[in-house]
């Protein structure tokens, strides 16, 4: 059979990795896919660089629309990033009857519903393993490997940049700003790191996993997104003294609130017991923990970024599309795991309705009755305390009191924090970091 023809939109880090891995492993890939997979066309802003990288083996153009319109391309691989241009390109590729492989989590988190509907209508596939956790095959696992299960929760370290920063802050006791600068110098963090450090990248990935896990549409606009830029080295130390690590976790899970089923969808710094495997995922690595009724806990770990790890997922999708291109669209694996007419509209819960435990740090004047005041506020709000740590004063008459609560509803904690901040003996804002036991 003739090789299937692929058009690349963009040949940056991941595009070049895809080209190289496809070339290096072409024989094994052909034996697995049943036919060869050949990059025939590349769209790049820097056409000279693209020609150099591809060694003159394919047509290079500077207009990406030429690729999506080319009769010489069967599968379009979108690796340019951003929202609007890739949306237009992917829709046009679909309209032209081409399958699409993308690593673009932002695109899918915002426009996934529209793109999947268009692809379904046209009978083509939009594959996106590389969009979540880079080289870790978590989409395949959630969508196919766990298909027998009712999935209860997904919790992941799905942003390598922030995990690297948090690991360095803990290891070296350094402040966020110092480590961010180092990460930029080492090339781990982008020149504009906003999407990574503010949790947006993780929320894009979590939104996609949530849709697949629970059979709901992608709903990025309903995600709670909180990054690590306000996190202090001090809190990482206190957490450690209490037996916890702080990670930027994306969490999505089923929850029942006042008898109504909902889905939690949130990204924020999270205390995790140090003994958990996922708490020991360090540096730029990713890991996703899935809880499901039949299999129990499964953990997926690996590189969440980089040329060849991400290329590994892009090529896995190319092989899937190559194998399935001739299969009746209704017999293929659905884009979001559940058949399109079997999606549910179970609501994403507002943060006020989530239930979890909390680390609260309160800066107080070291005077008689302060601890009693704090515990009274928590008791009045029906919040039970699990652990307390009080640090000695640091020569300024002030001290930190750290409390870990048992599980409670977020709205009760909001109310208690407001009352604590109004106490005369309390200085400044209460630091609140959510805690997941993941047990
Ligand atoms: N910037 C991401 C990370 C990789 O740091 O994990 C691409 O999503």
């Amino acid at each position: 059979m003739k090789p299937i023809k692929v058009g690349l939109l963009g040949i940056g880090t991941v595009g070049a990795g895809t080209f190289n891995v496809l070339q290096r492993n072409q024989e094994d890939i052909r034996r697995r896919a049943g036919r060869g997979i050949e990059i025939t066309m590349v769209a790049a802003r820097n056409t000279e660089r693209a020609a150099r990288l591809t060694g003159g083996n394919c047509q290079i153009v500077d207009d990406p629309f030429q690729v999506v319109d080319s009769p010489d391309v069967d599968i379009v691989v979108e690796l340019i990033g951003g929202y609007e241009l890739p949306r237009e390109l992917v829709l046009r590729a679909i309209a032209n009857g081409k399958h699409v492989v993308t690593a673009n989590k932002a695109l899918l988190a915002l426009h996934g519903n529209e793109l999947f509907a268009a692809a379904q209508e046209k009978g083509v596939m939009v594959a996106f393993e590389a969009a979540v956790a880079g080289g870790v095959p978590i989409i395949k696992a959630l969508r196919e490997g766990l298909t027998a299960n009712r999935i209860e929760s997904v919790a992941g370290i799905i942003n390598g940049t922030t995990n690297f920063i948090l690991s360095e802050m803990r290891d070296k006791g350094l402040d966020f700003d110092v480590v961010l600068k180092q990460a930029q110098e080492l090339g781990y963090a982008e020149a504009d790191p906003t999407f990574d450090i503010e949790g947006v990248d993780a929320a894009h990935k979590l939104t996609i996993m949530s849709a697949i896990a629970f059979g709901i549409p992608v709903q990025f606009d309903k995600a709670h997104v909180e990054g690590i830029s306000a996190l202090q080295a001090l809190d990482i130390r206190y957490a450690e003294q209490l037996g916890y690590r702080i990670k930027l976790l994306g969490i999505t899970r089923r929850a029942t609130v006042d008898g109504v089923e909902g889905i939690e969808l949130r990204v924020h710094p999270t205390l995790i017991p140090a003994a958990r495997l996922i708490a020991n995922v360090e540096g730029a690595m990713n890991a996703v923990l899935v809880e499901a009724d039949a299999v129990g806990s499964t953990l997926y770990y690996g590189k969440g970024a980089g040329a060849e790890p991400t290329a590994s997922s892009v090529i896995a999708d190319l092989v899937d599309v190559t194998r399935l291109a001739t299969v009746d669209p209704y017999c293929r694996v659905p884009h979001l795991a559940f058949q399109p007419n079997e999606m549910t509209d179970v609501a994403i819960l507002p943060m006020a309705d989530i239930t979890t435990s909390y680390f609260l740090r309160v800066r107080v004047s070291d005077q008689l009755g302060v601890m009693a005041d704090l515990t009274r506020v928590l008791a009045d709000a029906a919040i039970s305390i699990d652990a307390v740590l009080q640090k000695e004063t640091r020569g300024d008459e002030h001290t930190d009191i750290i409390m870990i609560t048992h599980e409670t509803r977020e709205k009760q904690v909001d109310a208690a924090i407001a009352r604590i901040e109004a106490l005369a003996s309390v200085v400044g804002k209460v630091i609140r970091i959510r805690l997941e036991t993941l047990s």
Side-chain angles (χ1 to χ4, degrees):
M1 203 185 277
K2 277 207 236 150
I4 200 157
K5 291 181 243 162
V6 176
L8 280 191
L9 303 179
I11 187 157
T13 307
V14 177
T18 302
F19 192 86
N20 291 338
V21 176
L22 260 182
Q23 282 227 314
R24 189 171 73 233
N25 297 339
Q26 61 180 309
E27 187 47 22
D28 280 350
I29 291 167
R30 185 196 61 74
R31 286 168 57 213
R32 290 182 175 124
R35 60 194 279 201
I37 298 176
E38 213 171 71
I39 295 177
T40 52
M41 202 169 178
V42 175
R45 265 187 304 213
N46 184 341
T47 49
E48 273 172 34
R49 180 177 170 277
R52 207 171 46 249
L53 286 172
T54 55
N57 288 329
C58 54
Q59 189 187 350
I60 312 285
V61 295
D62 61 4
D63 175 10
F65 287 93
Q66 262 183 274
V67 174
V68 299
D69 288 338
S70 169
D72 216 26
V73 165
D74 304 308
I75 309 174
V76 170
V77 178
E78 186 276 305
L79 300 171
I80 51 181
Y83 304 94
E84 227 15 77
L85 178 62
R87 175 177 164 270
E88 253 185 79
L89 287 163
V90 169
L91 283 172
R92 185 124 135 212
I94 292 169
N96 287 336
K98 298 184 195 310
H99 304 287
V100 175
V101 172
T102 179
N104 189 335
K105 58 233 83 180
L107 174 72
L108 296 177
L110 270 85
H111 302 298
N113 300 324
E114 177 191 21
L115 299 179
F116 297 138
Q120 188 74 19
E121 173 89 25
K122 196 75 189 169
V124 295
M125 286 171 271
V126 175
F128 52 92
E129 183 65 69
V132 181
V136 183
I138 185 63
I139 299 300
K140 192 93 171 169
L142 282 173
R143 203 163 55 178
E144 297 174 55
L146 299 179
T147 200
N149 290 259
R150 175 179 161 93
I151 295 177
E152 296 298 339
S153 68
V154 178
I157 296 171
I158 41 181
N159 182 269
T161 306
T162 44
N163 204 50
F164 172 82
I165 293 173
L166 293 176
S167 299
E168 290 288 293
M169 286 174 75
R170 186 179 74 83
D171 265 6
K172 304 189 175 144
L174 296 171
D175 282 326
F176 171 81
D177 294 335
V178 177
V179 182
L180 173 61
K181 198 156 172 286
Q182 284 177 1
Q184 284 173 313
E185 280 159 12
L186 286 168
Y188 281 113
E190 310 267 347
D192 178 359
T194 314
F195 265 31
D196 290 323
I197 63 175
E198 298 307 344
V200 179
D201 174 75
H204 286 151
K205 296 166 183 167
L206 184 71
T207 299
I208 297 168
M209 290 198 288
S210 180
I212 293 175
F214 305 121
I216 56 174
V218 286
Q219 295 167 78
F220 175 71
D221 56 328
K222 307 251 176 67
H224 172 83
V225 188
E226 204 179 307
I228 63 165
S229 56
L231 201 62
Q232 296 178 36
L234 183 67
D235 292 308
I236 295 180
R237 272 207 304 284
Y238 288 151
E240 189 142 42
Q241 286 166 25
L242 288 159
Y244 297 90
R245 301 265 166 90
I246 299 183
K247 296 290 181 188
L248 183 69
L249 219 57
I251 302 162
T252 184
R253 70 170 160 227
R254 296 180 192 276
T256 302
V257 178
D258 303 331
V260 179
E261 203 189 319
I263 305 283
E264 296 182 1
L265 182 63
R266 50 192 168 99
V267 171
H268 50 70
T270 311
L271 273 78
I272 309 172
R276 299 273 177 272
L277 263 181
I278 195 168
N280 294 281
V281 171
E282 300 289 9
M285 302 303 281
N286 281 200
V288 181
L289 176 66
V290 184
E291 291 290 337
D293 69 338
V295 70
S297 301
T298 51
L299 181 66
Y300 307 83
Y301 168 85
K303 289 187 178 150
E308 295 209 356
T310 313
S312 165
S313 289
V314 169
I315 296 168
D317 278 346
L318 284 173
V319 171
D320 266 0
V321 172
T322 302
R323 286 179 183 142
L324 296 174
T326 52
V327 169
D328 178 337
Y330 292 91
C331 300
R332 294 180 193 145
V333 180
H335 292 109
L336 293 177
F338 291 73
Q339 297 296 342
N341 58 345
E342 297 290 346
M343 306 286 274
T344 67
D345 59 359
V346 49
I348 304 293
L349 293 170
M351 276 308 272
D353 281 338
I354 71 146
T355 296
T356 189
S357 303
Y358 294 82
F359 164 107
L360 303 175
R361 171 162 64 84
V362 192
R363 190 125 183 86
V364 296
S365 310
D366 192 15
Q367 65 194 41
L368 187 71
V370 166
M371 184 69 91
D373 287 345
L374 295 181
T375 53
R376 191 173 315 109
V377 170
L378 293 183
D380 287 352
I383 298 170
S384 169
I385 299 171
D386 186 36
V388 177
L389 182 68
Q390 178 173 355
K391 303 307 289 183
E392 62 279 7
T393 53
R394 285 176 281 157
D396 62 355
E397 319 259 307
H398 292 137
T399 187
D400 284 326
I401 295 178
I402 297 102
M403 293 173 290
I404 303 265
T405 75
H406 284 291
E407 281 197 344
T408 185
R409 195 113 146 228
E410 178 118 343
K411 66 170 110 180
Q412 283 163 250
V413 174
D414 290 341
I417 287 176
R419 280 191 60 198
I420 289 172
E421 286 175 347
L423 292 172
S425 51
V426 169
V427 184
K429 293 279 183 201
V430 173
I431 302 294
R432 168 240 310 259
I433 308 176
R434 298 174 188 88
L435 183 158
E436 295 287 336
T437 55
L438 301 180
S439 54

